Amino acid sequence: DAGVIQSPRHEVTEMGQEVTLRCKPISGHDYLFWYRQTMMRGLELLIYFNNNVPIDDSGMPEDRFSAKMPNASFSTLKIQPSEPRDSAVYFCASRKWAGETAYGYTFGSGTRLTVV
Amino acid sequence: AQSVTQLGSHVSVSEGALVLLRCNYSSSVPPYLFWYVQYPNQGLQLLLKYTTGATLVKGINGFEAEFKKSETSFHLTKPSAHMSDAAEYFCAVSEKPGGSYIPTFGRGTSLIVHP
């Protein structure tokens, strides 16, 4: 199992540009999560999907942020237009739900986004 | 509503000394509790978890944590610190609103290990 795969690992972009972050969850996992990590706010849940359907996007900071999961093996987080305050590490995580047993997440290695 | 408080943003210990990272939670229902570790430039890895049953849970790398309901705590310990334990540690709690078990993470505690 290759784990949760995120790309790119690092992204530097200019303010106003569109940024797309990608995630491939672990095969067979039913849930996919997007988190943002900053020194100021810690780890924030942005949105999560269950069986490819967005369940809760209340953590998405603004309309500039959007996320999609077109199939069980791929998700994107898009920021358009990007701003310097969007600079952070963005993590994707997936989880398999099995009855009443709550499994821990498996996190990807993250994408470090810098908007200049 | 659920919440997690990690006491101390930084904890410094000498190699070979006891590691104690503190976590207190708030939950309206019996919680599931987790500790995650994050090494530099990596994602979070599950260290251990408590769901039901035995209140003392053992995780990877010699870490363990004890669920104390009366104290609403889930402190992480390791008898003897190793240099490789230097990392960021996150406590998390989850309930079950609608069956989702979405956890809330603490702000993290950075463990520094001195030679």
Side-chain angles (χ1 to χ4, degrees):
Chain A
D1 191 341
V4 176
I5 300 172
Q6 291 187 247
S7 63
R9 287 298 307 274
H10 302 273
E11 177 79 35
V12 180
T13 190
E14 292 186 348
M15 183 174 62
Q17 296 298 306
E18 177 179 295
V19 175
T20 299
L21 311 181
R22 297 173 175 79
C23 175
K24 176 179 170 56
I26 291 175
S27 177
H29 279 197
D30 302 327
Y31 285 82
L32 183 139
F33 306 81
W34 281 100
Y35 281 87
R36 178 171 69 176
Q37 185 179 38
T38 62
M39 290 292 292
M40 291 293 292
R41 297 181 174 177
L43 202 60
E44 302 174 274
L45 176 64
L46 301 178
I47 184 172
Y48 75 94
F49 297 82
N50 178 213
N51 292 324
N52 313 337
V53 177
I55 303 300
D56 185 353
D57 65 355
S58 60
M60 297 285 262
E62 300 172 34
D63 291 344
R64 298 184 296 106
F65 286 70
S66 63
K68 294 182 179 179
M69 192 167 185
N71 56 62
S73 59
F74 184 66
S75 178
T76 59
L77 178 67
K78 186 175 294 186
I79 307 173
Q80 166 62 22
S82 59
E83 297 183 3
R85 59 195 168 117
D86 302 330
S87 296
V89 181
Y90 291 81
F91 288 104
C92 176
S94 69
R95 186 184 78 191
K96 180 175 179 61
W97 177 257
E100 292 292 310
T101 302
Y103 287 80
Y105 290 173
T106 300
F107 280 80
S109 297
T111 295
R112 183 173 296 276
L113 174 65
T114 303
V115 183
V116 298
Chain B
Q2 59 196 34
S3 66
V4 172
T5 301
Q6 291 185 240
L7 299 176
S9 59
H10 295 83
V11 169
S12 182
V13 300
S14 298
E15 191 173 20
L18 171 72
V19 175
L20 171 61
L21 304 182
R22 299 178 186 273
C23 172
N24 288 88
Y25 70 91
S26 172
S27 175
S28 57
V29 298
Y32 283 10
L33 296 159
F34 306 83
W35 275 101
Y36 286 83
V37 59
Q38 184 181 27
Y39 298 103
N41 300 314
Q42 295 186 25
L44 281 68
Q45 302 174 34
L46 181 64
L47 201 54
L48 50 79
K49 66 180 178 182
Y50 167 79
T51 55
T52 58
T55 56
L56 181 64
V57 293
K58 296 184 184 300
I60 60 173
N61 301 335
F63 283 92
E64 62 182 34
E66 186 171 11
F67 169 56
K68 292 187 176 181
K69 183 179 179 180
S70 61
E71 298 177 8
T72 61
S73 69
F74 191 57
H75 301 331
L76 181 70
T77 61
K78 182 174 181 178
S80 177
H82 192 273
M83 295 295 291
S84 61
D85 294 327
E88 190 86 11
Y89 292 81
F90 294 87
C91 182
V93 61
S94 68
E95 298 177 341
K96 189 187 175 183
S100 62
Y101 286 101
I102 303 302
T104 297
F105 286 86
R107 291 300 304 272
T109 297
S110 178
L111 177 64
I112 302 163
V113 182
H114 297 287

